């Protein structure tokens, strides 16, 4: 199986997933194309660019700078700000202040150092540690190990470990942008899952990693941090499901043509030389499930949207419309049903009747307007 | 999303052009709106970067904060913005009319009201944040600001709050206003991009809506309409310009930032005015003027309270006022939905499709039908309508009709393709109906269970009677020094 | 001028296109060309600017906007002048410069206005906290213990290009008078415990000349090590590393070579202990100044407030500014909880260090395997 995935990717190391990417895996679980590409560790961003549909993502320097500065502020002086918040929110006892900077060791030792520290803390009910800054976690994704470098801190309270996620979006008068909170929760869930895996490997009860994560954000318009507890059980469940699906990616891969590959055929300097049309064909061999929401989560979104347009898919119009159309796959089919130019297939009677009637009503109401040349 | 709207989107895809969702306009478009295109610095809570603002499409005023992280510059920006916004807003207070009321004293209402138009919903949210961050400021004390800043903050807060009030037109988000009237051939997520949505509605000559929308997604051709800027612009243009200013805050450095920001703001400025033009070209629905009357009342009310020195809006509502607000919003939503349906057959068609309304020709009437005996004998005309609509109304359901708005009716029987109704209100006291009060055989009529009843407000206690389960009576809101001294970094 | 602007717009678009398709070489070339065009434009506009009167930031596209009303102009003037500037906002200008802020400001204000820079208040009052936390972390400023290093630079608004602006460009010149290593030493000596760059910058700004930039400290430890290796103990002190319990250099912490070894060790409890110690020192210093009848700088008060906020009981009733006596008492109370364990850990690690390490390693940390790997990488 691993060989097959390696062949799909070509002779380059698999792309490591960061927490954001792993969290995004759960965004569109129905998409086989994404599942296969991610399982094989294909560089989707480069792939999308090579086929002429670069992803629309970019991060502003201002946002990055601001995020880094806020994180540094929260962690400053042995996490002095964070300590205040945890004492307020979780009633962390005064003696709990020990701070371990895992990055005091070299990069290649960080994962084992993290393991050792967490193991010691899990065995010892004394004061083996409270904060673990810059930990390095590992998570197995479809046979490949991805290392996660959270900007988070794991901390221990009463024998349970919590993940702290530091985000620089503001909480104003007790309210934060729900979209951003949801994204933070998905990311934090990835870290909780990785921490649980680690505890399991070490022979401890994985549930000692709490599903309650601490979200730290600036309050109002100042930089004073404020903390809230976030329950990520739902996100964990979605994530586990999707990772399990990816582990079963064999079924998907087995149905693909034997010679299929997404190899970019990079030259010595890493520039892709594979003919773009050929690569696009290869992508087309795995079914995608495009939805407009992909545009905030997947590098291939413009490619898939273009494909959806080419076949006139109703997915283009968003989930509301697709749900309303009850499974009619293409725009032309739906219009043909509405205009009576096509006999409804089995199970389409109801939607055909609805569309036809909707068409009649529109005609009736717009009759007068058409004359005015209404748009 | 109704089947009707879904069908309109499908058609838009095939025609390559947006399709009408309404036959009339359901929002008020002012003769003298103020367009406000704000931009914020990425990553910050509410750091204004720039704004293009004004009432004349030909001469916008461009306000720029050359270093958005500098609090004093931000307040200078707020003071500048106040110089533009406050005279505009307060100018409407000069001319008033006297409104007579039954059983109450007459009151003064401004003859017209301001209308703030933003490119999109995010712009409205940013307006709220800007209001939140300025309304508690004070001209004295630890962080003094220009006296106009807190006043501006109250107005921006007012406009942001009105935007979420169903049917209000004091604040419009261009994308939302357009999407209410047109269905594009893309998803509603993509409709949030003003340039893309305008591409579908009003493509340049020789282009399809799809082509225009695709072009609109290129931030180089069509910079985002704010308040977020394009990350590429931030990294390649804005950041070097701000750095140059930090090195040497010269006139040239400021001008460079202005130029950069203007290139981002101007397209959105033009698009927003064009959107207003398109909306204005639609005939106004019958209830638009009435809703604008309410808007004028709300504006007058707030103007008066502000002039009388009421404190700024609280950070958070107390339990009772939050519940009251929610109830008010729900009523406004129901009322707005009903009014649109009554004003617009294409909106009514959505209810006909779901069986909550029906239209058809009158096939039989019994205009002098009565109920009750003796003194309580009442005129209850019966009307039978033949309709092809899939009626789903139970006998006894209360109905209204756009054709005779004062009347109320009730479903008597639904039988095959006919519905018999009984007119229960608005028939007067006579023994025979007034001419025209009962539809004639052959007349086309429409009835619906959607009504604009003024349902009684939910019984809520006075704020001072808030039960302890809801936090007890809230202390009267008095802005504190803490509010005023809050860091604005 | 118009042609130049068009060219700049085109170039910007091309640069961004190149960036989007990841053509680094082309983007670089285009950027260079863009910079040239922008310089030309700057030069042209500067010439024109000399002839035009100053404008406030919000002008009108057709350049015929109404002038700001008199009240607002008066207000701005007031803000720019010393009379109504909050002491707090002025802090950075007054600290240690030996200059009376009032004497300095009006000139700046005028300079800023002349050069058409936004609001004079911004230029003059140095925007005390507005930049904190949100400013470039790369350069180390911003955040809890934010310094005003960038703002100090910003105070030179309008001055740097003018000959009369010499003393206003204090951000650079003051720092230039005292070598960075001495500035860092001043701050560390006052704190009496290992500290990170941000804290050192904040302390220096609060109690010394200020103007220290974290960015200038990056190579400090390496330089000190080189100097020590070349001529051991030639200097009275070295700025060296704090050591972890594994005796490797602790990331990002500075210490002084003359301190006893155990003070330079950091156990997991030490960051908290050192923070509380630092808070106490800061509070004591403020008490000392007040006792002498001197006014502590706004930056010092701010620093104390931000530290006190994170110590239980240090700010009873959350009243600002905190009473130094409260901070000292609260810090001491919490210190009592952590000190014994921390001291034991430090002492044992110090004994090991003394046994195992050569002098240079004692100061700059044992080169661990991981360090070797890091250098190799």
């Amino acid at each position: 199986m691993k060989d097959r995935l390696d062949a799909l990717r070509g002779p380059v190391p698999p792309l490591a997933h960061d927490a954001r990417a792993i969290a995004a895996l759960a965004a569109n679980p129905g998409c086989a194309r994404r599942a296969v590409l991610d399982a094989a560790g294909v560089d989707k961003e480069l792939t999308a660019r090579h086929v002429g549909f670069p992803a629309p993502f970019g991060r502003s320097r201002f946002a990055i700078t601001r995020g880094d500065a806020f994180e540094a502020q929260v962690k400053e002086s042995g996490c002095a700000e964070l300590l205040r918040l945890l004492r307020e929110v979780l009633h962390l006892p005064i003696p709990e202040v020990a701070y371990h900077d895992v990055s005091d060791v070299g990069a290649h030792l960080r994962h084992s150092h993290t393991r050792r520290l967490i193991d010691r803390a899990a065995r010892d009910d004394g004061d083996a540690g409270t904060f673990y800054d810059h930990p390095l976690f590992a998570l197995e994704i479809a046979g490949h190990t991805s290392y996660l470098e959270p900007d988070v801190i794991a901390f221990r309270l009463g024998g349970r470990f919590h993940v702290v996620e530091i985000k620089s979006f503001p909480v104003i008068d007790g309210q934060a942008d729900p979209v951003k909170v949801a994204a933070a929760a998905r990311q934090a869930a990835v870290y909780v899952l990785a921490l649980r895996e680690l505890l399991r490997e070490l022979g401890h009860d994985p549930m000692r990693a709490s599903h309650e994560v601490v979200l730290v954000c600036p309050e109002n318009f100042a930089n004073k941090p404020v903390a809230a507890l976030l329950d990520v059980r739902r996100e964990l469940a979605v994530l586990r499901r999707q990772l399990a699906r990816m582990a079963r990616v064999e079924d998907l891969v087995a149905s693909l043509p034997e010679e299929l590959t997404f190899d970019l055929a990079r030259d010595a300097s890493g520039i892709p030389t594979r003919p773009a049309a050929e690569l696009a064909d290869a992508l087309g061999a795995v079914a995608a499930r495009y939805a407009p929401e992909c545009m905030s989560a997947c590098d291939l979104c413009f490619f898939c949207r273009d494909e959806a347009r080419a076949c006139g898919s109703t997915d283009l119009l968003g989930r509301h419309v697709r749900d309303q159309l009850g499974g009619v796959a293409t725009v032309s089919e739906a219009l043909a049903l509405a205009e009576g130019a096509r006999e409804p297939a089995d199970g389409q009677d109801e939607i055909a009747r609805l569309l036809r009637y909707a068409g009649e009503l529109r005609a009736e109401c717009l009759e007068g307007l058409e004359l005015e040349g209404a748009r | 999303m109704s089947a009707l709207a879904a069908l309109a989107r499908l058609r838009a895809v095939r025609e390559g052009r947006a399709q009408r969702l309404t036959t009339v306009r359901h929002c008020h478009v002012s003769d003298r709106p103020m367009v406000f295109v704000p931009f914020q610095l990425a990553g910050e809570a509410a750091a204004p970067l720039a704004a293009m603002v004004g009432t004349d499409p030909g001469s916008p005023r461009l306000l720029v904060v050359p270093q958005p992280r500098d609090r004093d510059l931000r307040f200078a920006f707020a003071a500048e913005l106040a110089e533009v916004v406050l005279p505009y807003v307060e100018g409407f207070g000069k001319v008033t009319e006297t409104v007579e009321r039954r059983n109450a004293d007459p009151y003064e209402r401004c003859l017209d009201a301001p209308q703030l138009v933003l490119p999109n919903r995010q712009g409205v949210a940013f307006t709220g944040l800007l209001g939140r961050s300025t309304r508690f400021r004070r001209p004295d004390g630890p962080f003094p600001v220009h006296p106009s800043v807190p006043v501006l903050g109250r107005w921006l807060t007012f406009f942001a709050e009105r935007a979420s009030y169903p049917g209000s037109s004091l604040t419009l988000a261009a994308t939302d206003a357009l999407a209410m009237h047109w269905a594009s051939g893309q998803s509603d997520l993509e409709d949030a991009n003003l340039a893309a949505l305008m591409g579908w509605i009003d493509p340049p000559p020789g282009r399809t809506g799809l082509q225009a929308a695709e072009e609109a997604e290129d931030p180089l051709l069509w910079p985002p309409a704010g308040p977020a800027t394009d990350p590429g612009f931030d990294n390649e243009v804005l950041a070097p310009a701000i750095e140059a200013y930090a090195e040497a805050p010269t006139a040239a450095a400021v001008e460079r930032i202005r130029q950069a920001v203007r290139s981002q703001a101007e397209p959105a400025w033009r698009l927003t005015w064009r959107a207003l033009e398109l909306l204005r070209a639609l005939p106004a629905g019958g209830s638009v003027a009435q809703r604008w009357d309410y808007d004028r009342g709300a504006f007058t009310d707030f103007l008066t309270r502000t002039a009388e020195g009421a404190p700024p809006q609280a950070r958070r509502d107390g339990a009772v006022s939050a519940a009251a607000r929610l109830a008010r919003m729900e009523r406004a939503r129901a009322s707005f939905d009903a009014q649109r349906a009554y004003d617009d057959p294409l909106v009514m068609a959505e209810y006909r499709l779901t069986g909550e309304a029906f239209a058809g020709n009158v096939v039989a009437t019994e205009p002098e039908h009565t109920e009750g005996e003796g003194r309580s004998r009442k005129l209850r005309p019966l009307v039978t309508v033949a309709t092809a609509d899939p009626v789903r109304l139970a006998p006894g359901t209360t109905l209204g009709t756009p054709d005779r708005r004062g009347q109320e009716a009730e479903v008597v029987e639904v039988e095959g393709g006919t519905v018999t109704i009984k007119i229960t209100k608005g028939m007067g006291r006579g023994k025979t109906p007034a001419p025209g009060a009962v539809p004639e055989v052959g007349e086309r009529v429409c009835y619906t269970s959607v009504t604009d009843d003024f349902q009684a407000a939910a019984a809520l206690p006075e704020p001072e009677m808030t039960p302890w389960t809801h936090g007890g009576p809230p202390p009267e809101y008095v802005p504190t020094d803490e509010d005023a001294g809050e860091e604005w970094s | 001028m118009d042609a130049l602007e068009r060219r700049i717009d085109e170039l910007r678009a091309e640069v961004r296109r190149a960036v989007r398709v990841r053509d680094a070489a082309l983007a670089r070339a285009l950027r260079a060309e863009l910079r040239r065009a922008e310089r030309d434009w700057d030069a042209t506009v500067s010439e024109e600017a000399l002839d035009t009167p100053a404008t406030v930031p919000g002008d009108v596209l057709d350049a015929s906007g109404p002038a700001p009303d008199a009240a607002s102009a008066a207000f701005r003037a007031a803000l720019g002048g010393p009379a109504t500037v909050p002491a707090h906002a002025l802090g950075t200008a007054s600290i240690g410069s030996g200059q009376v802020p009032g004497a300095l400001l009006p000139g700046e204000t005028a300079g800023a206005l002349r050069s058409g820079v936004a609001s004079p208040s911004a230029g003059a009052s140095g925007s005390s906290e507005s930049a904190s936390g949100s400013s470039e972390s790369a350069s180390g400023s911003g955040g809890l213990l934010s310094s005003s290093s960038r703002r100090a630079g910003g105070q030179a608004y309008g001055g740097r290009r003018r000959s009369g602006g010499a003393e206003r460009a204090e951000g650079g010149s003051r720092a230039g008078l005292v070598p960075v290593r001495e500035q860092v030493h001043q701050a560390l000596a006052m704190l009496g415990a290992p500290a990170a760059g941000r804290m050192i910058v904040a302390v220096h700004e609060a109690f010394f000349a200020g103007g220290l930039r974290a960015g200038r400290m990056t190579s400090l430890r390496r330089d000190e090590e080189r100097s020590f290796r070349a001529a051991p103990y030639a200097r009275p002190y070295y700025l060296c590393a704090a050591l972890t319990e594994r005796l490797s250099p602790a990331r990002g912490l500075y210490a002084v070579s003359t301190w006893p070894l155990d003070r330079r060790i950091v156990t997991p409890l030490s960051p908290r202990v050192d923070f509380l110690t630092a808070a106490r020192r800061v509070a004591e210093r403020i008490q000392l100044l007040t006792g002498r009848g001197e006014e502590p700088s706004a930056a010092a008060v701010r620093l104390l407030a931000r530290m006190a906020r994170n110590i239980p009981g240090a700010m009873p009733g959350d009243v600002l500014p905190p009473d130094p006596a409260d901070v000292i008492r609260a810090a001491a109370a919490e210190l009592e909880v952590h000190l014994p364990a921390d001291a034991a850990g430090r002492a044992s690690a110090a004994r090991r260090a003394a046994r195992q390490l050569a002098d240079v390693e004692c100061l700059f940390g044992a080169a661990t395997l991981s360090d070797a790997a890091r250098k190799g990488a």
Side-chain angles (χ1 to χ4, degrees):
Chain A
M1 185 58 205
K2 193 170 170 304
D3 292 348
R4 187 73 182 92
L5 290 174
D6 287 343
L8 283 171
R9 183 181 63 248
V12 283
L15 195 75
H17 302 283
D18 60 10
R20 195 188 293 258
I22 295 171
L25 296 182
N28 189 355
C31 182
R33 181 174 296 161
R34 171 146 205 177
V36 170
L37 291 174
D38 281 334
V42 171
D43 184 341
K44 294 200 301 294
E45 201 252 306
L46 188 60
T47 303
R49 209 170 340 117
H50 192 55
V51 293
F53 291 94
F57 312 134
R59 271 193 87 196
S60 165
R61 261 159 78 165
F62 300 118
I64 295 169
T65 303
R66 162 81 171 134
D68 292 350
F70 182 69
E71 188 190 328
Q73 179 193 344
V74 172
K75 290 182 175 180
E76 200 166 18
S77 296
C79 298
E81 289 275 4
L82 185 59
L83 210 49
R84 166 176 63 82
L85 295 172
L86 297 179
R87 285 170 176 178
E88 283 168 11
V89 177
L90 288 172
H91 309 290
L92 190 72
I94 296 288
E96 294 262 3
V97 296
Y99 169 86
H100 296 273
D101 187 347
V102 184
S103 68
D104 272 338
V105 303
H108 65 298
L109 293 175
R110 261 174 66 200
H111 180 53
S112 56
H113 195 43
T114 306
R115 283 177 64 108
R116 202 160 44 239
L117 287 172
I118 299 282
D119 187 35
R120 205 168 78 195
R123 276 177 211 295
D124 179 48
D125 48 15
D127 50 6
T130 300
F131 296 117
Y132 301 91
D133 197 358
H134 305 111
L136 189 65
F137 295 140
L139 199 59
E140 184 111 330
I141 293 173
H144 294 295
T145 302
S146 275
Y147 287 97
L148 302 170
E149 267 184 281
D151 54 286
V152 303
I153 298 171
F155 86 98
R156 200 187 59 144
L157 170 64
R160 274 162 82 79
F161 294 89
H162 294 258
V163 161
V164 179
E165 178 89 29
I166 302 169
K167 291 284 172 198
S168 61
F169 57 81
V171 176
I172 291 171
D173 296 338
Q175 292 187 318
D177 182 344
V179 176
K180 288 178 175 153
V181 174
R186 281 197 300 271
Q187 264 190 52
V190 176
Y191 299 131
V192 174
L193 191 66
L195 186 54
R196 285 188 175 171
E197 287 302 310
L198 178 59
L199 287 166
R200 194 195 316 275
E201 276 172 43
L202 291 167
H204 304 293
D205 177 6
M207 298 314 273
R208 287 179 67 180
S210 171
H211 59 259
E212 283 189 321
V213 303
V214 180
L215 178 65
V216 178
C217 296
E219 186 175 29
N220 298 338
F221 305 102
N223 288 310
K224 189 176 170 187
V226 61
L229 283 178
L230 219 53
D231 184 334
V232 298
R233 268 177 293 192
R234 210 193 73 82
E235 288 78 6
L236 277 168
V238 174
L239 187 64
R240 257 198 306 268
R241 233 185 90 76
Q242 180 63 355
L243 290 181
R245 258 183 62 93
M246 288 182 60
R248 292 195 312 267
V249 78
E250 295 103 82
D251 302 348
L252 287 174
V253 172
S255 65
L256 299 176
E258 199 118 330
E259 67 291 349
L260 184 73
T261 176
F262 308 112
D263 186 6
L264 292 163
R266 295 179 230 218
D267 65 15
S269 51
I271 312 252
T273 63
R274 179 112 183 251
E278 198 183 301
L279 182 61
D281 284 347
L283 289 171
V286 195
R289 190 193 171 111
Y290 170 78
E293 286 78 9
C294 293
M295 288 206 279
S296 58
C298 183
D299 290 305
L300 282 168
C301 58
F302 278 168
F303 177 82
C304 298
R305 185 178 69 173
D306 189 66
E307 186 186 67
R309 275 182 186 154
C311 56
S313 163
T314 53
D315 291 342
L316 285 168
L317 299 176
R319 296 208 162 126
H320 296 303
V321 175
R322 210 188 52 206
D323 293 349
Q324 188 69 48
L325 294 176
V328 180
T330 69
V331 173
S332 54
E333 185 184 352
L335 283 170
L337 289 173
E339 284 152 15
R342 180 190 177 110
E343 282 303 308
D346 274 354
Q348 285 186 335
D349 291 327
E350 178 59 16
I351 181 66
R353 190 196 57 75
L354 195 65
L355 283 172
R356 208 158 36 233
Y357 203 59
E360 284 167 25
L361 287 175
R362 274 189 71 81
E364 177 192 323
C365 299
L366 288 166
E367 214 170 6
L369 289 173
E370 299 300 336
L371 297 174
E372 302 165 25
R375 290 168 219 285
Chain B
M1 177 77 55
S2 68
L4 220 57
L7 180 64
R9 285 198 189 254
L10 294 169
R11 289 246 164 90
V13 172
R14 184 174 63 191
E15 310 293 328
R17 203 176 178 116
Q19 301 291 305
R20 286 278 286 271
L21 283 173
T22 67
T23 62
V24 293
R25 164 161 52 79
H26 295 287
C27 57
H28 175 79
V29 178
S30 163
D31 291 336
R32 205 161 60 91
M34 173 169 273
V35 169
F36 179 40
V37 184
F39 287 88
Q40 80 180 109
L41 189 73
E44 304 285 324
L49 166 67
M52 200 168 254
V53 60
T55 52
D56 177 355
S59 66
R61 186 141 169 197
L62 179 68
L63 311 177
V64 174
V65 187
Q67 173 47 280
R69 292 185 186 119
D70 185 317
R71 185 181 50 206
D72 294 317
L73 290 182
R74 292 188 202 177
F75 281 123
F77 167 89
E80 293 287 338
L81 185 58
E83 272 172 32
V84 185
V85 173
L86 295 185
Y88 168 72
V89 168
E90 286 162 1
F92 288 95
K94 287 177 189 146
V95 192
T96 61
E97 60 183 353
T98 306
V99 183
E100 304 288 345
R101 286 183 294 184
R102 241 183 304 169
N103 310 327
D105 291 336
Y107 67 101
E108 290 296 302
R109 185 168 64 189
C110 297
L111 212 50
D112 199 2
Q115 182 174 53
L116 196 66
V117 186
L118 291 111
N120 51 38
R121 211 180 291 174
Q122 293 86 337
V124 174
F126 184 64
T127 303
L129 282 180
L130 218 50
R132 165 64 182 78
S133 66
T134 48
R135 70 178 187 259
F136 297 116
R137 306 283 107 200
R138 285 183 184 172
D140 49 18
F143 300 104
V145 297
H146 188 276
S148 65
V149 169
V151 183
L152 174 79
R154 292 167 199 210
W155 279 110
L156 294 182
T157 305
F158 172 77
F159 281 117
E161 281 178 359
R162 286 302 293 187
S164 56
Y165 194 82
S168 171
S169 295
L170 287 168
T171 311
L172 294 182
T175 47
D176 286 0
L178 291 171
M180 189 182 357
H181 297 92
W182 282 278
S184 72
Q186 61 187 1
S187 68
D188 46 7
L189 281 174
E190 289 153 310
D191 282 351
N193 177 347
L194 178 60
L197 181 55
M198 285 292 284
W200 279 99
I201 297 172
D202 187 29
R207 303 275 166 82
T208 66
L210 179 62
Q211 287 163 340
E214 272 181 342
E215 265 178 24
E217 280 174 355
D218 184 345
L220 295 175
L221 296 173
W222 289 100
T229 45
D230 173 42
F233 166 79
D234 280 2
N235 297 342
E236 293 296 328
V237 182
L238 187 61
I242 289 181
E243 270 158 30
Y245 173 83
E247 284 298 311
T250 60
V254 175
E255 193 48 38
R256 182 170 159 198
I257 296 173
R258 295 181 62 79
Q259 287 297 343
V261 170
R262 179 174 293 144
S263 71
Q264 301 296 294
E266 264 181 339
W269 171 264
R270 287 198 306 272
L271 279 177
T272 308
W273 283 104
R274 178 74 186 127
L276 282 172
E277 236 174 81
L278 292 175
L279 286 166
R280 200 179 273 129
L282 302 176
S287 310
V288 168
Q290 184 202 333
R291 286 195 299 270
W292 184 244
D293 289 347
Y294 287 131
D295 274 337
R296 289 194 287 127
F299 165 71
T300 309
D301 200 40
F302 191 72
L303 186 71
T304 315
R305 270 188 289 145
T306 308
E308 286 167 356
Q313 300 94 329
R315 287 172 179 229
R316 267 183 268 189
D317 280 343
V320 170
S321 51
R325 193 177 126 83
L326 208 61
R328 243 188 351 260
M329 302 268 279
E330 272 171 24
R331 273 206 311 281
R333 162 61 52 202
S335 172
F336 184 43
D337 286 348
Q339 289 177 356
R340 276 185 303 138
Y342 280 52
D343 288 353
D344 186 341
L346 195 47
V347 176
M348 184 64 89
E350 301 196 353
Y351 298 104
R352 290 171 61 192
L353 201 58
T354 54
E356 294 164 271
F358 61 91
N361 293 326
V362 177
V363 290
T365 61
E366 208 175 309
E368 290 178 18
H369 178 79
T370 57
E371 277 179 1
E373 293 301 327
R375 290 180 64 84
S376 64
R377 196 177 151 100
K378 289 192 182 84
L379 194 57
R380 291 284 181 266
L382 295 177
V383 180
T384 304
V385 183
T387 179
D389 293 342
V391 184
R392 284 197 195 96
L393 297 168
T397 308
T398 307
L399 301 174
T401 173
D403 312 308
R404 292 170 176 80
R405 301 218 179 176
Q407 287 185 1
E408 207 169 86
E410 198 181 288
V411 179
V412 177
E413 191 182 37
V414 181
E415 177 73 50
T418 63
V419 185
T420 303
I421 58 143
K422 175 171 80 184
I423 303 177
T424 52
K425 247 189 217 163
M427 289 313 300
R429 288 165 191 243
K431 285 204 177 105
T432 53
V438 178
E440 304 280 328
V441 171
E443 185 181 334
R444 186 158 177 84
V445 293
C446 175
Y447 285 90
T448 176
S449 61
V450 178
T451 54
D452 182 15
D453 268 357
F454 208 80
Q455 294 140 4
L460 288 169
E462 289 298 308
E464 51 272 24
M465 300 296 286
T466 308
W468 64 269
T469 46
H470 292 70
E476 194 187 339
Y477 179 68
V478 182
T480 60
D481 282 343
E482 194 200 335
D483 284 340
E486 183 180 71
E487 283 179 61
W488 207 63
S489 51
Chain C
M1 193 83 180
D2 287 349
L4 208 50
E5 273 172 20
R6 265 198 306 281
R7 180 69 190 133
I8 288 173
D9 282 347
E10 278 166 27
L11 280 168
R12 278 181 186 157
E14 281 173 38
V15 169
R16 289 160 70 196
R17 235 171 248 130
V19 169
R20 191 130 43 95
V21 298
R22 299 281 156 107
D23 188 339
L26 180 62
R28 220 173 9 253
L30 287 168
R31 268 197 203 107
E33 200 177 332
L34 176 61
R35 300 287 167 267
R36 270 196 303 280
E38 283 173 346
R39 266 199 302 277
D40 292 347
W41 185 87
D42 278 355
T44 321
V45 85
S46 302
E47 282 163 28
E48 288 182 7
L50 288 178
D51 307 325
T52 42
T55 52
V56 285
D59 73 352
V60 168
L61 276 187
D62 65 5
S64 66
D69 63 80
S72 111
F75 160 78
R76 272 195 208 92
L79 248 195
T84 57
V85 178
H88 180 144
L90 267 177
T92 52
S94 58
I95 301 159
S97 69
Q99 280 278 0
V100 182
L104 189 83
L105 284 163
E108 270 188 4
T109 305
L113 267 180
R114 256 201 311 281
S115 59
V117 173
S119 139
S121 58
S125 63
S127 78
S128 56
E129 279 156 74
S130 57
S132 67
S134 54
S135 58
E136 291 79 341
S137 67
S139 70
S141 87
L144 171 65
L145 302 167
S146 130
S147 90
S148 68
S149 51
R150 288 198 75 79
R151 296 188 303 269
Q155 279 170 26
Y157 286 1
R160 205 163 278 178
R161 285 192 169 181
R162 258 164 266 273
S163 54
E167 70 217 343
R168 264 172 268 141
E170 31 75 73
S173 64
R174 252 201 266 144
L177 293 178
V178 184
V180 175
R181 69 185 299 267
E182 263 172 57
Q183 292 180 305
V184 173
H185 182 246
Q186 281 175 322
L188 282 173
M190 202 215 94
L191 286 171
R198 289 159 71 93
M199 174 72 90
I200 292 170
V201 166
V203 166
H204 201 264
E205 187 193 330
F207 299 105
F208 303 98
L212 178 62
R213 287 200 192 191
R216 301 179 57 186
M217 292 162 60
T218 45
S219 62
L220 197 56
R221 239 161 57 173
R222 214 169 35 240
D223 294 345
E224 295 281 293
E225 181 172 355
R226 204 172 297 135
S227 158
F228 183 86
R229 283 182 189 275
Y233 301 111
R235 294 175 169 184
Y237 66 84
Y238 291 86
L239 297 175
C240 59
L243 304 185
T244 67
E245 285 183 298
R246 303 145 51 89
L247 307 184
S248 59
R251 243 166 74 123
L253 291 179
Y254 297 83
V256 182
S257 63
T258 52
W259 289 347
L261 191 50
D262 60 352
R263 203 195 291 180
R264 291 198 288 109
I265 302 276
V266 283
T267 76
L269 296 175
S270 303
R272 186 64 185 170
V273 166
D274 291 345
F275 170 73
L276 294 168
T277 307
R280 199 157 70 172
R281 294 286 197 108
V282 167
E284 286 166 354
R285 179 79 167 208
I286 289 177
Q287 270 186 336
L288 187 76
L289 288 173
T290 327
R292 280 196 306 221
E294 288 173 36
E295 184 78 9
S297 73
V301 174
R302 206 160 56 231
L303 175 62
L304 184 69
R306 293 190 172 193
M307 294 179 99
R309 180 165 93 192
N310 296 319
I311 303 170
M315 248 195 324
D318 280 340
V319 181
L320 283 171
D323 181 345
D326 288 334
V327 179
I328 293 169
R329 203 175 313 117
E334 194 185 327
L335 267 175
E336 234 171 81
V337 179
H338 312 308
L339 259 183
D342 182 51
R346 285 181 163 184
S348 113
R351 278 195 299 277
R352 256 186 308 127
R355 243 190 352 261
Q356 294 173 5
L357 301 184
D359 281 6
V360 65
E361 289 171 333
C362 244
L363 292 182
F364 298 100
T368 57
L369 265 177
S370 56
D371 278 332
R374 204 174 335 191
K375 274 170 198 144

